């Protein structure tokens, strides 16, 4: 049996926060606002794997109202979700992602992000891909006020 999963997230970009994608920090004047560390890509991936397994979503498992997740490392949240997915008998086959932001440029750190996600999700880095897009100067993403991420994944159970 195979199943696909989809995750999507958007965070505001503000001064005084770190800019994180898949556990990799970028030099940036602005970073992601969030209850956790704000890692928008980690959040999209978490929702993709949970959704594919039918296990709920990030908001249900790590409620923003719960002080326990304040400034939480989103890669640890992703790992926690992945453990649940594995416990349900699923194996992750591959992951494909898109990050939309005006800056910083994703490309110089793309392979670091792939390696970071692959390590956390016990995948070969070749099974993880991340693409960077801009907002073409339009809307909150194009104006540099937000970053968005989308992720799709495939799960397999024998
Ligand atoms: Mg989020």
């Amino acid at each position: 049996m195979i199943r696909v999963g989809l995750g999507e997230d958007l965070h505001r970009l503000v001064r005084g926060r770190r800019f994180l994608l898949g556990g990799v920090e970028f030099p940036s004047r602005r970073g992601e606002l969030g209850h956790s560390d704000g890692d928008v890509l980690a959040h999209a991936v978490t929702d993709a794997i949970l959704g594919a397994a039918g296990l709920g979503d990030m908001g249900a498992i790590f409620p923003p109202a719960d002080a326990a997740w304040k400034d939480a490392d989103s890669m640890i949240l992703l790992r926690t979700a992945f453990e649940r997915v594995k416990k349900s008998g699923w194996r992750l086959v591959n992951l494909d992602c898109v990050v939309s932001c005006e800056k910083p440029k994703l490309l110089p750190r793309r392979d670091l992000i792939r390696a970071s996600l692959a390590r956390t999700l016990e995948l070969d880095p070749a099974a993880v891909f991340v693409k960077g897009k801009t907002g073409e100067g339009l809307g909150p993403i194009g104006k540099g006020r937000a970053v968005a991420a989308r992720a799709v994944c495939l799960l397999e159970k024998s």
Side-chain angles (χ1 to χ4, degrees):
M1 179 165 46
I2 57 171
R3 282 191 187 166
V4 294
L6 167 69
E8 182 170 333
D9 199 15
L10 179 143
H11 282 238
R12 288 173 191 258
L13 291 173
V14 296
R15 298 259 174 116
R17 294 277 299 187
R18 296 197 296 159
F19 190 101
L20 294 161
L21 291 175
V24 175
E25 185 162 358
F26 285 66
S28 174
R29 294 176 69 177
R30 290 165 180 243
E32 296 136 315
L33 186 63
H35 182 65
S36 65
D37 64 12
D39 189 329
V40 71
L41 179 57
H43 294 180
V45 172
T46 302
D47 265 348
I49 64 169
L50 287 172
L55 290 175
D57 58 34
M58 268 205 92
I61 296 176
F62 310 108
D66 188 337
W69 313 122
K70 175 108 175 72
D71 298 324
D73 180 337
S74 296
M75 292 302 281
I76 291 177
L77 304 186
L78 172 59
R79 180 68 200 191
T80 304
F82 180 58
E83 293 295 340
R84 291 192 184 204
V85 169
K86 278 203 300 180
K87 209 171 273 181
S88 298
W90 294 102
R91 187 180 74 84
L92 183 56
V93 177
N94 81 306
L95 179 67
D96 193 19
C97 312
V98 179
V99 174
S100 300
C101 67
E102 211 60 19
K103 57 184 180 182
K105 289 289 171 214
L106 180 126
L107 197 58
R109 285 177 166 75
R110 168 160 60 197
D111 286 343
L112 288 174
I113 298 171
R114 295 175 69 196
S116 170
L117 289 169
R119 197 163 50 242
T120 299
L121 298 170
E122 299 172 7
L123 282 172
D124 188 307
V128 178
F129 207 74
V130 185
K131 294 165 288 281
K133 309 294 280 186
T134 71
E136 293 285 336
L138 299 169
I141 291 170
K143 303 289 181 206
R145 293 200 292 265
V147 54
R150 292 177 189 85
V152 292
C153 70
L154 187 72
L155 297 186
E156 181 180 55
K157 190 190 268 192
S158 49

